[in-house]
Structure formats: C-alpha cells, structure tokens
Amino acid sequence: MMESTPRPFPQPFVGSWSEAYIKRVAIRLAILHPRSLHSLPPSRPSLPDMLFASATAVALLGVGAAASAAPAKVQLMSRKVASGHMTAIRKRSVMKRGMNPFSIPLIDQFNGTDLQWYGNISVGTPPQQIPVVFDTGSYTLEFASTECGEPCANQVQFDASASSTFVTTGDVQKIAFETGGGVNPITSPNEYVLWLKPGNDTVTVNGVATANVELNIVVNQTAAFEPDPYSGITGLGPVPEGFFLGLMNNGLPALFGLYVTPDSVGNAEITFGGVDESHIHGEIQTASLPSDNDDTWLLSSSAIYINEQTTSLLSSTRNIIFDSGTSNAYFDPEIAQAIYSSISPNIQPYPAETTDYGTAYGIPCSEIDGLASELTLTFTNTAGKPFNLTIPSSELNVGPFPGQTETCQTFINSIQGLNLVGGSLLKHYYAIFSVQNQTIGFADNGVSSTVGNSTA
C-alpha cells in the first residue's frame, strides 16, 4: 500500500503527484501464529550487528551501466551511517540492546497471483489478535472494528469497547485511497474509501507491549475492501513509529528482514530486529536512501532495462519506492509505455481499467505465454557500485481481467508521477530494511535465481 498517512483523495486530479504524497493503500489481513527467530550462526558476525554497527558488508552481484546493455558484476562494501534525525535512534538502540530478534509468519493472499502477505499483532487490554499487512509503503496503523459491522464482516474486527486502554482521540474521517489490495488500479475516487476513527491503544508484539500507540479503527468501508482476508495495515516506514518504535525503545535493533515468497513456496515471514539467515543465499547488496528522503523507503535508480536493453528515457535517473503492501509495479505512464513497447506492441491500456487515476494494461491471453519481459532496475550500492534487481518474465502474466477470459493483465500499472515496485519484485529477494542505517539490502532468497547480474 502506498500511503504514509491517510489523506483525502485529490479532487480534482491535477498534474503529477509527488512520491511523498502517492503512498499506497490496500488494507486488511488473516490470522496466524508468531514463531521465534532462527538463531544466527556463531561462526560469523550476525547480520544485525553488521548492519547495526555499520560494519563491512559482504560482496554481491552488481552490474556495470552500459548504455544499452545490462550491467556486469560488482562488489559491495561497507555503508556510511546516516546522520541528522536518526542520531537519537542510534543512541537509544546502542544503550538498550536487550531484545533478541523474532519472526512473525506471513500468510499469502493468493487469487491467481500473489496479492498481499499478512500476519498477526495484538491490540488492546486484554490483547485482541488482529491480522495486518506489514506495509513498507506507509507508517500508520489502521484496522477493522466492530463499529464497522456488516461492511467489515469478512475481516477480524477489533472491539474497542472490550479494551480498557483504548482512547478515542478525534472525529471520524473519510479517507479515499489511490491503490487497493489487488492488482488493478482504482477507477474511481470513491472505489476504495474508509471511515476511520483515530485513537490510542496498547499494541503487543512478541510479548512486548507498547502503550499509547496512535491508530485508526475502521468504522465503515466501501465494498472494494470486502474480499480482504486481513483486517488492516501497519506501516513500517524508515522513520519508526508505533509498536516498532516501542520495540526499539526496549532494545530491539532498528531493522527488519522481509521474506515474502510465491504461494507455491510458502513459509513467508518478517523478522524484527535482525534477519533470518536461513533465507539468505549469497551476498547482500546494500543501498542508502537519498539524503533528502521524506520518510519513504525509496532508492535512486540510474536505469531500467527490459530484456537487457534500455533507452534514453529508461536510462534517466529516478527514485523508485519499495512497497511491500502493493502487489505489482507502478510506473509513470510514459515509462510504462516505453517498457511495454519493448515487450509487445499488443500490450495496450485495458479500457475498463483506464481512468484519470490510473491505467492497467493487457494483452490477449493467447499471446502472453513465452513473451520475454525481464525487467531490470539498476541501483548504486554503498560502495558506489551499480547493482541490479530483476522482475523475471514469469511475473508478466497477472491473469485474466475480472469477468472475462480473453485479455490477461500485465505486471505494470501506471499512475502519473509514481514509480514503485511491490510484491512482484520483493518475492524474488530477501530484503533488509535498516532504520538504523537508512538503507535497504537485497540478497538471493533461495527461491529463484533473479539475484544476479545480466551481462551484455
């Protein structure tokens, strides 16, 4: 989901949206049981300590940036610790390193393609278990409540009246969103709308309770949210808030590892305070967030390659958001069109999913199998060397559009001014989000071979 704080939908839509504004959306999730983190092997320094202390990172795969062919291998070195507002976070973590890392298992919402991964937190006193999407594209906590009633019947609903620590802090707000929980763009400003009541309550994760966490309970919602098997989202932005900040205040190292996998693989999990090394196969490429970043997990990309080829437009520098709460990829319409024209001229905007707010693209299902569509994004690691992240051709076909079988949706939607990758990329890597260092790291997760370097 792409959305920092719930904000009203722009009316009317004018020009392009800034990356800070266009923050995602889909909300809800289902029940599962937390489990403990695998111990880090003592034979080498733990990855949490490496990231936490800004020690030397290991070498991974990279790429040289040729003009029209994909880059070559490079080596990753150590990173520089961020400064400014993160200083207090570093000091707090150094002073209290008492908590051990732990993992929460994630369930994959699968409907022809992987949509969302979600797991449990507990809210209130006594605790009520609430399934949520752990969303790197936002930083708020919001979930269905019993005040929503029938519109939220498919979700686990939080009973605020049963919590002795819940406090209402404001009036109900009506919020419309820019993307939903599935793969299709929003076709109307009234399609994904929530009515939220702000409040505070205690949030418990891994037995650690954080009091007075700001949150929003859903008191009504439009029908578009009904299929969601989860109750809401909890944002995990690079500026920590809520329960994650509470965990850090109790000595948990300021990072988390994300292992989202295809439905056929399973065993997805999020690890707080460290990483699960059993899912890291190879070296880690680590890149720093831009110094002028506005609380979004994004990296500067120097080029986009499609089947190892690029163009003057695609090789321009742009920031790309990493959003675990969005299913597929979003690019500015001009970029999306340039990518698709290199795959097949028959990939075109799908009329029923094309509006001023966003566009989905499709191609006759009879033509999609076998199309080469490897999408490679080039970034720069902390040693100043380029490296690649790839969405393989297997992600091109999202499946038939609703209500018909002739036209299949493709893996990129477009929204003016938005460049974002979600689950279709993240499920091919182990991703390490370091609040401490303001970096994102990537490694082969053992599920596929997409952590590698294309060669000219």
Side-chain angles (χ1 to χ4, degrees):
M1 281 78 79
M2 243 329 290
E3 166 239 3
S4 294
T5 317
R7 302 179 187 178
F9 200 99
Q11 306 258 0
F13 172 76
V14 179
S16 64
W17 296 326
S18 69
E19 288 175 343
Y21 181 83
I22 307 182
K23 298 208 169 176
R24 136 211 56 206
V25 109
I27 36 201
R28 253 76 358 230
L29 332 236
I31 297 181
L32 51 160
H33 304 287
R35 63 184 178 86
S36 60
L37 172 72
H38 301 155
S39 299
L40 299 179
S43 57
R44 63 171 180 166
S46 70
L47 281 171
D49 285 338
M50 293 167 66
L51 292 167
F52 182 88
S54 300
T56 302
V58 268
L60 210 237
L61 315 167
V63 279
S68 60
K73 287 189 177 181
V74 296
Q75 181 144 12
L76 171 70
M77 309 311 268
S78 62
R79 70 167 303 283
K80 184 172 72 174
V81 177
S83 59
H85 69 278
M86 300 310 296
T87 302
I89 292 173
R90 292 199 305 274
K91 288 181 178 178
R92 183 165 54 237
S93 296
V94 169
M95 293 174 66
K96 293 186 67 175
R97 294 283 302 281
M99 282 193 68
N100 292 323
F102 64 92
S103 294
I104 296 175
L106 302 178
I107 289 176
D108 183 2
Q109 179 194 4
F110 183 84
N111 185 14
T113 189
D114 304 294
L115 296 177
Q116 298 285 345
W117 291 263
Y118 56 90
N120 282 339
I121 63 173
S122 294
V123 182
T125 306
Q128 301 175 45
Q129 199 169 66
I130 305 295
V132 292
V133 171
F134 294 91
D135 181 11
T136 62
S138 64
Y139 58 79
T140 58
L141 171 60
E142 51 216 37
F143 45 82
S145 75
T146 54
E147 294 183 45
C148 182
E150 185 60 29
C152 297
N154 194 46
Q155 287 93 42
V156 174
Q157 299 174 32
F158 174 73
D159 186 355
S161 67
S163 173
S164 63
T165 47
F166 179 81
V167 177
T168 300
T169 58
D171 297 328
V172 173
Q173 300 179 24
K174 178 183 176 181
I175 303 296
F177 294 100
E178 297 145 358
T179 64
V183 293
N184 296 333
I186 288 176
T187 57
S188 163
N190 297 315
E191 185 175 358
Y192 280 84
V193 178
L194 294 177
W195 285 260
L196 302 174
K197 178 189 290 186
N200 291 338
D201 208 341
T202 298
V203 176
T204 303
V205 180
N206 195 47
V208 177
T210 301
N212 300 317
V213 172
E214 294 183 1
L215 50 81
N216 297 281
I217 60 171
V218 178
V219 298
N220 195 10
Q221 64 183 15
T222 53
F225 289 107
E226 288 179 5
D228 295 343
Y230 43 88
S231 297
I233 58 173
T234 183
L236 292 173
V239 178
E241 298 191 17
F243 79 85
F244 189 36
L245 181 59
L247 293 171
M248 290 168 52
N249 288 338
N250 279 276
L252 188 76
L255 74 155
F256 57 92
L258 187 64
Y259 178 67
V260 293
T261 59
D263 182 67
S264 58
V265 175
N267 298 314
E269 66 179 13
I270 184 169
T271 298
F272 288 100
V275 301
D276 187 333
E277 290 192 348
S278 69
H279 300 314
I280 296 176
H281 300 261
E283 310 297 348
I284 302 167
Q285 287 280 15
T286 302
S288 297
L289 306 187
S291 58
D292 59 349
N293 179 45
D294 58 359
D295 72 28
T296 303
W297 291 111
L298 58 82
L299 298 174
S300 177
S301 172
S302 59
I304 298 173
Y305 294 84
I306 185 68
N307 297 322
E308 301 189 7
Q309 301 297 312
T310 189
T311 66
S312 58
L313 171 64
L314 296 182
S315 59
S316 300
T317 300
R318 60 185 54 84
N319 287 335
I320 296 180
I321 297 166
F322 289 82
D323 185 353
S324 63
T326 293
S327 307
N328 49 5
Y330 281 80
F331 284 100
D332 186 89
E334 188 178 23
I335 297 170
Q337 204 64 54
I339 292 171
Y340 281 138
S341 66
S342 297
I343 300 173
S344 170
N346 293 333
I347 297 178
Q348 295 293 326
Y350 186 66
E353 300 285 353
T354 298
T355 70
D356 289 340
Y357 305 107
T359 299
Y361 299 80
I363 187 173
C365 295
S366 60
E367 300 178 22
I368 199 168
D369 289 342
L371 284 177
S373 60
E374 182 181 86
L375 182 69
T376 300
L377 310 173
T378 300
F379 301 93
T380 301
N381 67 21
T382 52
K385 304 296 185 180
F387 70 96
N388 286 341
L389 300 176
T390 297
I391 302 176
S393 296
S394 59
E395 298 292 338
L396 175 64
N397 187 358
V398 178
F401 280 102
Q404 52 83 58
T405 58
E406 299 298 317
T407 304
C408 284
Q409 184 179 354
T410 48
F411 66 152
I412 296 172
N413 296 340
S414 67
I415 289 180
Q416 189 73 35
L418 178 62
N419 297 304
L420 175 154
V421 290
S424 59
L425 181 141
L426 291 171
K427 66 186 176 183
H428 298 287
Y429 298 90
Y430 192 90
I432 304 166
F433 295 84
S434 175
V435 172
Q436 162 79 16
N437 292 336
Q438 294 290 280
T439 59
I440 312 176
F442 301 91
D444 185 344
N445 64 7
V447 174
S448 67
S449 59
T450 58
V451 180
N453 304 306
S454 302
T455 55

